[in-house]
Amino acid sequence: MAENQVSLEMHGISKSFPGVQALKEVDLILHRGEILGLVGENGAGKSTLMNILTGILHSDTGIITLKGKPVNIENPRQAQIMGISIIHQELSVLPNLTVGQNVFLGREPRLPIHFLVDWKNLYYLAKEHFKKLNLDIDPHILLSELSVAQRQMVEVARALSFKADIVVMDEPTSTLTEMEVKNLFSLIHTLKEQGISIVFISHRLEEIFRIVDRVIVLRDGVLVGSAPISQVDPKQLVMMMVGRELKEMFPKESLPQKEKVLSVKNLKRGKDLKGVSFDLHRGEILGLAGLVGSGRTFVARAIFGADPLEEGEIWIEGKKVQIRSPQEAISYGISFLPEDRKAQGLFLKLPLSSNIAITDMKELSFLGIIIFKKLQELASSFVNKLKIRTPSIFQIVRNLSGGTQQKVVLAKWLALKPKVLILDEPTVGIDVATKAEIHALMNGLAKEGVAILMISSELPEVLGVSDRILVMHEGLISGEFLRQDATQDKIMLCATGGANNG
């Protein structure tokens, strides 16, 4: 059978960085037409292994063979020529160019005269690629006009335009709705039928069990397990990933108090917010659910003063306040962890210690001069409290794993001891063990009286963590549920405009 043909073999792959052994003698086999799940905690070595495969990094030791022949992959361009493409979690497409230009960027077909771009042929070829993938996308329109899910499909078409036999997908569903995930999975099955091999990296274990044929697990740079997905269950997979049993994914102990900490009334901003009102109580975790584009993030940004309101009121502890900037929001005890931690939550070129201390510089300085001992003590305390995995508090943040970066953003805001903590997709792109730690941290903060507004696209998370759940649809609150009354079906009905309340 075709599936038994070995497309790729990586044997004895090791890679070290200063102070870190990222990979240690890792083996990977990928068959033709196979969907292989690659899982592990943040920092387990998944990205390093795939970066070696795609020529971004070079291994210290090990051998790579393609279709039985040893190869030396010097750079990403060479990997593409060999039929290996990668779709990164952070899309690399360019929104100011057309769809067709993105598919053939840097490889545009040329006319024989003066080496001009053959635009007619470029758009024809792009359309043909979309036909093969059963995608109805006009290659002439600007990429900026497409949804995130459609841009993801353009990335797939671009990867396959290199005549790829092997496609690596790194967290491809992190920004997609459930329907968009179904469409992507349908596309992946189409690729599988065409004999293309897929390496599928995801922290969403339910997706691993839905889509992959076989799974391999990395932990601390070492291969700890490999099996057909039919032969493992979620509990076993988590045990392999973290090396221990996770007792509770969604710990829930605290009960919210009756005292209102935050009230918003009739928030309006164009089509994004059409009159949003709700209360948030001390010690409460209020889940905010809804489809992408429903207005959830606009609520958070409006409360935090990042986007101006056309109309509406914000009340803190019974007092009406004017919040026209994030600085004013912070002065009222509001902290906001944004969805895009790299673009909006971190200074990637600065060390961990500076990132944690950045919001609290007044307390850490005297006459405008930073007291480094205080800064180091603050950073060290949060490294211990949040179990942040780092060689040093002086480690540059961009060199940390995604889950560790998220903890750094959390530490930055917790340093302010907020009354209200807004979390927008707090566990996106994070491994299962770190998710459990963040959920436990949220529960602990609620017990201390912090009022938490959590936005999440993962319904199990919303149901498992929240005391109360609001659902948004097209800029309005379309449903409200107590924890004990909420179900995924009820939430999805409200999120799609099919109901108005619980």
Side-chain angles (χ1 to χ4, degrees):
M1 291 178 64
E3 288 82 358
N4 290 328
Q5 297 175 12
V6 175
S7 292
L8 164 72
E9 186 170 1
M10 303 179 77
H11 179 69
I13 304 297
S14 296
K15 178 67 178 178
S16 63
F17 300 101
V20 179
Q21 182 73 43
L23 294 171
K24 186 177 181 181
E25 298 183 357
V26 172
D27 296 337
L28 179 149
I29 294 176
L30 180 64
H31 301 92
R32 184 173 183 269
E34 180 182 36
I35 305 172
L36 177 67
L38 177 58
V39 300
E41 293 187 85
N42 291 108
K46 305 184 300 297
S47 295
T48 301
L49 185 64
M50 291 301 99
N51 284 339
I52 289 170
L53 174 62
T54 53
I56 297 171
L57 294 174
H58 296 155
S59 65
D60 298 331
T61 62
I63 298 171
I64 300 175
T65 61
L66 290 175
K67 298 176 183 177
K69 296 181 180 179
V71 295
N72 185 26
I73 304 173
E74 291 290 338
N75 52 59
R77 176 63 177 158
Q78 192 176 32
Q80 290 167 345
I81 293 171
M82 293 178 180
I84 303 169
S85 289
I86 184 167
I87 300 169
H88 293 281
Q89 181 178 356
E90 287 138 6
L91 299 183
S92 57
V93 285
L94 302 177
N96 59 323
L97 298 183
T98 66
V99 170
Q101 286 174 307
N102 270 280
V103 171
F104 290 102
L105 186 64
R107 303 171 295 117
E108 297 85 355
R110 301 283 173 172
L111 292 167
I113 304 172
H114 302 302
F115 301 102
L116 298 175
V117 174
D118 187 346
W119 293 110
K120 184 178 179 180
N121 192 31
L122 181 146
Y123 288 115
Y124 169 78
L125 292 173
K127 199 165 187 177
E128 289 300 303
H129 277 297
F130 290 137
K131 277 184 183 178
K132 289 178 185 177
L133 300 174
N134 298 316
L135 297 176
D136 184 20
I137 298 176
D138 182 357
H140 294 86
I141 65 174
L142 287 176
L143 193 90
S144 58
E145 297 179 36
L146 300 183
S147 68
V148 173
Q150 289 173 314
R151 295 184 195 191
Q152 188 78 267
M153 301 305 184
V154 172
E155 279 271 30
V156 174
R158 179 179 169 184
L160 296 176
S161 71
F162 291 95
K163 298 180 180 178
D165 299 312
I166 297 168
V167 178
V168 180
M169 296 187 175
D170 189 359
E171 297 286 351
T173 66
S174 60
T175 57
L176 304 187
T177 66
E178 179 58 31
M179 183 56 66
E180 290 165 344
V181 170
K182 287 181 180 178
N183 292 338
L184 177 63
F185 283 4
S186 176
L187 176 57
I188 290 173
H189 280 298
T190 298
L191 300 179
K192 173 183 169 72
E193 290 169 2
Q194 294 174 2
I196 294 170
S197 306
I198 309 287
V199 179
F200 187 86
I201 302 172
S202 179
H203 290 304
R204 296 179 176 179
L205 296 190
E206 67 274 12
E207 293 180 354
I208 292 292
F209 282 91
R210 280 170 59 187
I211 191 69
V212 310
D213 302 309
R214 186 166 55 90
V215 64
I216 65 172
V217 184
L218 295 181
R219 186 171 76 238
D220 297 329
V222 176
L223 178 66
V224 294
S226 173
I229 197 65
S230 58
Q231 295 180 12
V232 293
D233 60 36
K235 190 174 181 180
Q236 290 171 324
L237 196 56
V238 170
M239 279 282 288
M240 283 193 285
M241 288 170 61
V242 304
R244 65 186 189 282
E245 184 178 356
L246 289 181
K247 295 180 180 179
E248 275 194 285
M249 192 66 200
F250 303 111
K252 196 67 195 159
E253 301 172 20
S254 61
L255 291 174
Q257 302 171 28
K258 293 182 179 180
E259 181 186 354
K260 295 177 185 177
V261 178
L262 170 71
S263 295
V264 300
K265 300 178 182 179
N266 198 34
L267 301 186
K268 291 184 178 180
R269 185 177 187 274
K271 295 180 180 179
D272 303 320
L273 301 176
K274 301 175 183 176
V276 173
S277 302
F278 63 85
D279 298 320
L280 178 60
H281 303 86
R282 191 173 303 283
E284 179 181 35
I285 300 177
L286 178 62
L288 188 56
L291 302 178
V292 173
S294 62
R296 301 170 307 169
T297 295
F298 287 108
V299 170
R301 289 178 60 84
I303 294 171
F304 195 61
D307 290 331
L309 284 168
E310 294 171 1
E311 192 177 324
E313 298 177 357
I314 299 175
W315 296 68
I316 301 291
E317 295 180 327
K319 296 180 181 179
K320 185 178 175 180
V321 299
Q322 290 285 338
I323 298 178
R324 290 155 296 194
S325 68
Q327 288 83 357
E328 289 185 347
I330 291 169
S331 72
Y332 289 114
I334 302 173
S335 291
F336 175 39
L337 184 147
E339 178 181 8
D340 190 340
R341 58 179 169 259
K342 289 189 176 180
Q344 301 174 357
L346 293 166
F347 295 91
L348 294 172
K349 295 181 180 180
L350 294 182
L352 176 151
S353 55
S354 298
N355 271 273
I356 291 177
I358 200 76
T359 57
D360 202 25
M361 283 299 184
K362 283 186 179 180
E363 294 295 320
L364 301 174
S365 59
F366 179 71
L367 297 177
I369 300 173
I370 296 171
I371 304 170
F372 281 98
K373 184 178 180 182
K374 283 189 175 183
L375 183 149
Q376 292 172 20
E377 288 174 352
L378 178 71
S380 296
S381 68
F382 277 105
V383 165
N384 294 328
K385 182 178 180 180
L386 303 188
K387 300 176 183 176
I388 297 174
R389 295 173 63 181
T390 177
S392 160
I393 63 171
F394 303 110
Q395 176 68 277
I396 302 300
V397 163
R398 69 180 175 190
N399 296 332
L400 299 174
S401 69
T404 302
Q405 289 178 350
Q406 190 75 320
K407 286 184 178 182
V408 172
V409 183
L410 267 172
K412 176 180 76 172
W413 290 116
L414 294 180
L416 293 176
K417 300 178 182 177
K419 298 173 185 175
V420 176
L421 179 60
I422 303 172
L423 305 173
D424 192 354
E425 301 288 3
T427 63
V428 67
I430 289 176
D431 65 77
V432 65
T434 307
K435 279 186 181 182
E437 290 177 0
I438 288 178
H439 294 155
L441 174 64
M442 291 169 61
N443 191 61
L445 292 170
K447 286 176 69 176
E448 294 172 6
V450 178
I452 299 174
L453 176 64
M454 180 193 71
I455 300 168
S456 177
S457 298
E458 295 190 33
L459 291 187
E461 180 172 62
V462 172
L463 292 165
V465 172
S466 308
D467 295 296
R468 188 164 51 98
I469 299 164
L470 301 177
V471 188
M472 290 195 68
H473 173 68
E474 295 183 350
L476 289 166
I477 302 292
S478 58
E480 178 176 349
F481 303 92
L482 293 175
R483 174 186 175 85
Q484 61 268 26
D485 299 327
T487 66
Q488 290 200 27
D489 290 342
K490 288 180 179 179
I491 292 174
M492 284 305 299
L493 191 63
C494 291
T496 53
N500 290 320
N501 226 316

